[in-house]
Amino acid sequence: MNTFSIAIHGGAGTLVKGMMTPALEAKYKAALQLALDAGYKVLENNGTATEAVEKAVVVLEDSPLFNAGKGSVFTATESHEMDASIMDGKTLNAGAVSLITGIKNPVALARDVMEKSEHVFLAGAGAMQFAKELDYTIEDASYFYDAFRHKQWIEIKDTDSFQLDHAKKKDSKFGTVGAVACDKDGNIAAATSTGGMTNKKWGRVGDSPMIGAGNYANNKTCAISCTGSGEFFIRGVVAYDVACLMEHKEMSLEDASNEVINKRILEIKGDGGLIAVDAKGNIAMPFNTEGMYRASKSSTGQEEVSIYK
Ligand code: ASP
């Protein structure tokens, strides 16, 4: 049997330590633990990597603590536009959705795009039509509302700026979520889900739903889920770049992930991090910011739930 493992993240950024109370820190860690355990359980019970990453991301989407599903950030028009993607490293099948509203679990819709359509990426009104045809319940905006996110938006709504929900001075609520996993058969998968950036406009789409940028999986190399300023991660084609370094330069998962996060993406001033697994169950979780909400667990007994370096 292959070593099986899972890693999850809840966003990376300038998580100012002093702003975090012990009680709040415990809350975040408990939410990460819940998602980690849910995904790990799928693997333990012989589930696939794809099933495990979807399960872990659903748990994170359901928590208002993270910027995905419930608790997503507000756009410039005071609405929520969510993005998500999933990729199966065995088949290279992938599904993604962007600019969707009212869907409780965007990652589930991304998986349906992968499995129930001929396409990879559906956006906006078309993606919503697809969801309706599959009988998705459309939740009211109040389901996604979070007072803290709303306050973050009020502070910058009349400006041209848009921001990571977890960057800047005093934030204590963070992030895009993601999961990567390696199952007992040595198959790997990645999933990512986000509300994007506070006050975004013009149909702005980040890296999270873009295969190769914020999310990628290939059994030959690695499964990756990214978090950070999406514009840089798109330009750096970050997730695929890690896979390329492994495939063409024969770098290890750890070295390739570090090279991209602590060198290549920094060269274009990109801030953020990623989680990664390979088909042997190895895990890497580098970030170039002050912190990244992250957790990992492997059948070798290794387990971690951390926020700061
Ligand atoms: N990468 C996401 C985006 O740009 C944001 C995040 O990681 O929190 O939409």
Side-chain angles (χ1 to χ4, degrees):
M1 185 184 68
N2 206 72
T3 294
F4 58 95
S5 60
I6 182 163
I8 62 168
H9 72 76
T14 314
L15 319 176
V16 182
K17 202 164 187 183
M19 301 310 301
M20 179 64 93
T21 63
L24 201 55
E25 193 168 325
K27 230 170 141 180
Y28 278 104
K29 285 189 169 167
L32 288 167
Q33 186 76 56
L34 204 69
L36 185 73
D37 291 345
Y40 190 79
K41 202 166 149 205
V42 172
L43 299 173
E44 231 177 2
N45 293 337
N46 306 318
T48 65
T50 301
E51 286 161 355
V53 294
E54 182 189 7
K55 181 69 201 174
V57 168
V58 160
V59 173
L60 293 166
E61 285 176 339
D62 289 346
S63 166
L65 295 173
F66 304 103
N67 171 24
K70 190 177 181 67
S72 284
V73 296
F74 285 85
T75 67
T77 56
E78 205 176 358
S79 62
H80 303 287
E81 289 173 350
M82 299 172 288
D83 306 329
S85 61
I86 191 163
M87 186 160 185
D88 177 343
K90 180 184 175 188
T91 57
L92 300 189
N93 285 336
V97 290
S98 184
L99 304 171
I100 58 167
T101 7
I103 304 292
K104 185 170 177 272
N105 294 115
V107 72
L109 187 60
R111 185 161 175 205
D112 278 337
V113 171
M114 172 166 85
E115 292 175 354
K116 299 180 181 158
S117 86
E118 298 290 298
H119 308 295
V120 169
F121 201 162
L122 301 181
M128 292 305 294
Q129 183 58 33
F130 176 71
K132 279 178 197 153
E133 287 176 21
L134 291 181
D135 287 329
Y136 271 75
T137 305
I138 308 301
E139 304 289 341
D140 195 71
S142 62
Y143 170 79
F144 300 91
Y145 180 88
D146 178 81
F148 185 86
R149 300 268 187 250
H150 197 249
K151 190 169 155 273
Q152 286 180 318
W153 174 69
I154 296 281
E155 281 168 12
I156 60 168
K157 76 182 170 93
D158 295 319
T159 71
D160 274 338
S161 68
F162 62 99
Q163 69 180 50
L164 276 179
D165 64 307
H166 42 81
K168 290 255 157 118
K169 39 186 204 311
K170 55 183 162 48
D171 292 348
S172 54
K173 287 201 166 190
F174 329 79
T176 288
V177 306
V180 292
C182 173
D183 64 29
K184 287 181 180 173
D185 292 327
N187 293 315
I188 59 177
T192 307
S193 180
T194 188
M197 289 170 104
T198 300
N199 209 37
K200 63 183 182 176
K201 58 184 179 182
W202 302 319
R204 180 266 183 192
V205 177
D207 60 313
S208 307
M210 291 186 195
I211 301 302
N215 199 74
Y216 186 70
N218 185 337
N219 276 2
K220 274 206 299 199
T221 51
C222 56
I224 306 277
S225 171
C226 300
T227 171
S229 303
E231 280 65 15
F232 297 95
F233 281 70
I234 294 171
R235 289 162 54 207
V237 203
V238 166
Y240 188 61
D241 201 21
V242 176
C244 282
L245 289 173
M246 291 178 72
E247 186 169 359
H248 305 299
K249 282 200 162 178
E250 289 171 21
M251 287 173 88
S252 68
L253 181 80
E254 181 84 24
D255 290 349
S257 305
N258 270 325
E259 167 87 11
V260 173
I261 290 301
N262 290 312
K263 190 158 175 271
R264 293 184 176 219
I265 196 75
L266 271 184
E267 279 166 8
I268 58 168
K269 302 199 167 29
D271 57 329
L274 61 80
I275 51 171
V277 295
D278 64 18
K280 291 198 184 88
N282 294 311
I283 296 169
M285 302 193 286
F287 53 97
N288 63 30
T289 47
E290 202 173 304
M292 178 167 81
Y293 289 82
R294 63 196 186 280
S296 66
K297 188 170 179 171
S298 155
S299 58
T300 59
Q302 175 278 339
E303 185 166 356
E304 174 185 347
V305 180
S306 325
I307 301 177
Y308 303 99
K309 286 215 159 107

